[in-house]
Amino acid sequence: MQYALLIYGTEADAEDFSAETMKGYETFTTHVRERGVLKGGEALHPISTATTVRVRDGRTVTTDGPFAETKELLGGFYIVEAADLDEAIGYAALIPGAWTGSVEVRPIVDWSDTGMGAPIDATDAAGASAGAN
């Protein structure tokens, strides 16, 4: 099963990103890559760059910043393949973001188990975004 490892921390954590922390992320990424369980992941730009989108009465409304006021912000994520939740938690505990913030572990829906197709095929999404430019 695939799991999203969602890395949360404060803005101060992001601003105080040390060489030791970066080395920790490099070590973790190498660890999961060498085991063949890394499926994806990215760091996100600061919350000040976020835009929230809502559709109300057919109108698209955008707001600068996050949806809700919060002390911990989503800073990045990994997607890993793990046999079970315990294995996914083991990976999450190795992520430097867990040292000062938190890592939320969430299973990813396997659409093949539902008898329905995935709502968005990754290859279709890549083609659609390429055509949108």
Side-chain angles (χ1 to χ4, degrees), residues 10-64:
T10 64
E11 286 204 61
D13 292 337
E15 293 168 5
D16 196 25
F17 208 74
S18 68
E20 176 187 4
T21 301
M22 190 61 202
K23 180 67 175 160
Y25 277 101
E26 290 170 2
T27 300
F28 174 76
T29 302
T30 299
H31 176 78
V32 291
R33 184 175 286 133
E34 286 177 350
R35 281 159 185 70
V37 300
L38 179 64
K39 302 300 177 187
E42 294 294 338
L44 301 175
H45 281 280
I47 197 71
S48 61
T49 65
T51 301
T52 300
V53 178
R54 296 176 184 83
V55 177
R56 301 293 185 266
D57 299 319
R59 281 191 19 239
T60 301
V61 180
T62 61
T63 306
D64 290 341

Side-chain angles (χ1 to χ4, degrees), residues 46-94:
I47 197 71
S48 61
T49 65
T51 301
T52 300
V53 178
R54 296 176 184 83
V55 177
R56 301 293 185 266
D57 299 319
R59 281 191 19 239
T60 301
V61 180
T62 61
T63 306
D64 290 341
F67 172 72
E69 291 295 320
T70 182
K71 292 184 182 191
E72 285 197 325
L73 311 168
L74 179 61
F77 65 92
Y78 285 95
I79 297 175
V80 298
E81 184 77 34
D84 54 33
L85 179 60
D86 289 336
E87 183 180 354
I89 289 170
Y91 290 133
L94 298 173

Side-chain angles (χ1 to χ4, degrees), residues 99-111:
W99 304 344
T100 57
S102 63
V103 178
E104 179 181 342
V105 178
R106 294 188 56 185
I108 295 175
V109 174
D110 180 353
W111 290 100

